[in-house]
């Protein structure tokens, strides 16, 4: 049963994303939280790909592609603000 | 593990993440940390739409929440002060 394998691996990725969420919640400074959010974005993209394989739908991979692009832009905006260059 | 129990476990993880990130977005005093928590909330809400098999809503939520809202709030925070005005 190949879909059960993808369900288990998606669950493991979700547990890792939950630990990254704890870093965002308890982080003492803002750059810690930015790194936590970036880790959470990457783990959720990985979870979305695994869930697309588990649901056996090809169209669900496109959402992971869109989110991988947009999370990069969001992290870049926050990094430019912290650097002081956001106009 | 059958599909229903896996679905329930994923729903519990997503619900805990939603509540934690929403409480963080309200309670954080640092405005950049609050914007980060709001980006995390939008990310987990997009994952919830994905799990509930609504891919077009997930794409719209990811685009608005990760990119537009974060950049607009950062521009607004950049152009204002983050201290309360005491009359």
């Amino acid at each position: 049963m190949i879909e059960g394998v993808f369900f288990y691996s998606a669950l493991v990725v979700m547990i890792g994303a939950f630990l990254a969420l704890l870093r965002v919640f308890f982080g003492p400074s803002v750059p810690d939280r930015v790194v936590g959010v970036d880790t959470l974005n990457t783990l959720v993209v990985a979870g979305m790909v695994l869930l697309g394989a588990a649901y056996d739908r090809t169209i669900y991979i496109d959402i992971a592609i869109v989110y991988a692009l947009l999370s990069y832009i969001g992290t870049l905006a926050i990094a430019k603000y912290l650097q002081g260059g956001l106009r | 593990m059958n599909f229903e129990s896996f679905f329930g476990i994923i729903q519990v993880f997503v619900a805990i993440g939603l509540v934690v990130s929403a409480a963080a977005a309200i309670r954080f005093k640092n405005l950049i940390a609050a914007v980060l928590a709001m980006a995390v909330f939008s990310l987990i809400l997009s994952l919830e739409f994905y799990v509930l098999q609504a891919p077009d809503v997930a794409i719209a939520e990811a685009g608005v929440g990760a990119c537009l809202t974060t950049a607009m709030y950062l521009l607004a925070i950049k152009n204002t002060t983050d201290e309360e005005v005491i009359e």
Side-chain angles (χ1 to χ4, degrees):
Chain A
M1 199 61 187
I2 193 164
E3 285 139 3
V5 176
F6 289 123
F7 279 158
Y8 283 128
S9 51
L11 196 58
V12 170
V13 170
M14 292 293 164
I15 292 170
F18 195 73
L19 295 179
L21 182 64
L22 291 182
R23 181 77 269 173
V24 175
F25 191 65
F26 292 111
S29 68
V30 173
D32 288 335
R33 294 193 169 104
V34 175
V35 172
V37 168
D38 204 20
T39 309
L40 190 64
N41 283 326
T42 309
L43 283 174
V44 166
V45 166
M48 279 180 176
V49 172
L50 286 171
L51 279 177
Y55 282 146
D56 202 7
R57 302 275 179 86
T58 316
I59 193 68
Y60 283 12
I61 308 296
D62 295 342
I63 307 167
I65 295 173
V66 169
Y67 202 83
L69 185 63
L70 291 178
S71 69
Y72 165 70
I73 295 175
T75 308
L76 193 64
I78 296 172
K80 276 184 76 69
Y81 177 82
L82 289 178
Q83 189 210 9
L86 193 63
R87 187 171 48 84
Chain B
M1 180 183 292
N2 55 354
F3 180 73
E4 281 79 15
S5 62
F6 167 79
F7 198 72
I9 292 171
I10 287 288
Q11 292 288 321
V12 166
F13 267 105
V14 166
I16 292 173
L18 277 177
V19 171
V20 165
S21 59
I26 292 174
R27 308 248 335 157
F28 278 163
K29 295 300 180 190
N30 193 354
L31 290 179
I32 304 302
V35 168
L36 276 173
M38 206 178 60
V40 170
F41 179 79
S42 159
L43 165 70
I44 301 175
L45 192 61
S46 171
L47 182 65
E48 171 71 19
F49 288 146
Y50 186 95
V51 170
L52 290 177
Q53 304 189 14
D56 44 356
V57 191
I59 285 181
E61 176 66 32
V64 172
C67 188
L68 275 178
T69 314
T70 307
M72 287 301 141
Y73 269 104
L74 282 178
L75 281 175
I77 291 170
K78 180 73 175 179
N79 291 322
T80 53
T81 62
D82 57 350
E83 295 171 355
E84 290 188 26
V85 176
I86 300 174
E87 297 287 336

